[in-house]
Amino acid sequence: MNWAHDIQAACGGMLIGLSAALFLLLDGRVAGISGILGGLLRRWNRATAGNVAFIAGLLLAGPFYRVFTGRWPAVHIAASLPVLVLAGLLVGFGTRLGSGCTSGHGVCGLARLSSRSAVAVATFMITAFITVFVTRHLIGGGS
């Protein structure tokens, strides 16, 4: 068992929860990444600067990790570029169809006891379970 990894994951989860709570308390908005990113594609308004700062924070997380640990986060992607592009488009379509993403529904919506978010998260998870089962056992994608 890798305790350091578990502690990092727990700290990361707590920071995500804290940031979502602070975003709601201080700005009155839900910290759903798709909504924040989508807000950058609309006309400039009072929320745009905050949206830019939020997305910049996400993009700078890797470089900050490097500054504090001396190495880049380990990322292993086995899929080809066309598969990644298709997956990104499907995730974007699902995000629009579901009126939000996993951060908005899973982190913020469930914390607010939203029934719509509970249905969305159940749908995400069931789809993920089926996808993993199909790719690992029916297609033969590995262990």
Side-chain angles (χ1 to χ4, degrees), residues 22-87:
L22 288 173
F23 199 73
L24 184 61
L25 290 172
L26 299 176
D27 200 37
R29 298 186 297 147
V30 171
I33 307 304
S34 62
I36 291 170
L37 185 59
L40 294 179
L41 304 175
R42 295 187 201 101
R43 250 177 85 203
W44 186 277
N45 61 32
R46 75 156 191 92
T48 304
N51 291 347
V52 169
F54 195 95
I55 297 300
L58 292 176
L59 295 174
L60 292 172
F64 273 111
Y65 183 89
R66 174 121 164 62
V67 167
F68 289 111
T69 66
R71 59 187 167 84
W72 289 100
V75 177
H76 304 285
I77 300 172
S80 66
L81 184 60
V83 169
L84 291 175
V85 169
L86 177 63

Side-chain angles (χ1 to χ4, degrees), residues 119-132:
V119 171
V121 170
T123 303
F124 300 158
M125 295 305 294
I126 291 167
T127 302
F129 295 150
I130 292 169
T131 301
V132 169

Side-chain angles (χ1 to χ4, degrees), residues 72-123:
W72 289 100
V75 177
H76 304 285
I77 300 172
S80 66
L81 184 60
V83 169
L84 291 175
V85 169
L86 177 63
L89 291 171
L90 289 172
V91 167
F93 174 76
T95 297
R96 295 297 293 176
L97 183 67
S99 299
C101 59
T102 53
S103 59
H105 285 301
V107 175
C108 302
L110 290 180
R112 293 182 3 238
L113 303 176
S114 165
S115 58
R116 184 175 86 166
S117 290
V119 171
V121 170
T123 303

Side-chain angles (χ1 to χ4, degrees), residues 130-143:
I130 292 169
T131 301
V132 169
F133 180 82
V134 167
T135 58
R136 288 192 176 178
H137 300 289
L138 301 181
I139 296 176
S143 56

